[in-house]
């Protein structure tokens, strides 16, 4: 197993994507990205950094779960604020 020739670890891309999504800073055309769009954003960053497809997919599955969890939590907070 070889170490990819990358400048940043995939965990950094993962955490950065997650934090930006949670804070509403991941936008596309002025709109906050959906979990699926944020996932594609992460994948593109990882591809640009030179990660292997298998490495990207392993992280992407977990990331999508985390992004969807954040989306659900934000929706619940929204509903609670409306009460």
């Amino acid at each position: 197993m070889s170490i990819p020739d990358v400048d940043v670890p995939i965990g950094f891309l993962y955490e950065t994507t997650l934090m930006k999504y949670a804070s509403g800073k991941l936008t596309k055309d002025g709109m906050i990205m959906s979990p699926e769009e944020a996932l594609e954003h992460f994948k593109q960053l990882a591809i640009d950094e030179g990660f292997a497809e298998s490495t990207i997919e392993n992280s992407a599955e977990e990331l999508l779960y985390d992004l969807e969890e954040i989306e659900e939590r934000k929706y619940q907070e929204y509903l609670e604020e409306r009460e």
Side-chain angles (χ1 to χ4, degrees):
M1 181 186 338
S2 65
I3 298 173
D5 183 25
V6 296
D7 294 329
V8 297
I10 198 150
F12 177 78
L13 295 178
Y14 182 104
E15 291 298 325
T16 301
T17 302
L18 202 57
M19 287 187 309
K20 285 184 177 180
Y21 182 78
S23 66
K25 293 181 181 175
L26 273 184
T27 60
K28 181 177 180 181
D29 300 326
M31 301 288 292
I32 295 173
M33 289 183 184
S34 68
E36 293 78 13
E37 290 171 322
L39 181 65
E40 290 306 313
H41 172 77
F42 165 78
K43 286 181 177 180
Q44 190 58 54
L45 289 175
I47 289 168
D48 292 348
E49 288 293 332
F51 287 99
E53 189 174 320
S54 61
T55 302
I56 295 169
E57 287 305 316
N58 289 341
S59 295
E61 186 176 330
E62 187 176 335
L63 179 60
L64 181 58
Y65 175 81
D66 288 344
L67 292 168
E68 289 174 341
E69 192 174 279
I70 289 170
E71 181 181 49
E72 179 64 29
R73 188 175 66 234
K74 284 184 167 198
Y75 182 67
Q76 289 302 322
E77 289 172 3
Y78 168 77
L79 292 177
E80 289 172 7
E81 287 176 6
R82 291 193 53 165
E83 291 178 355

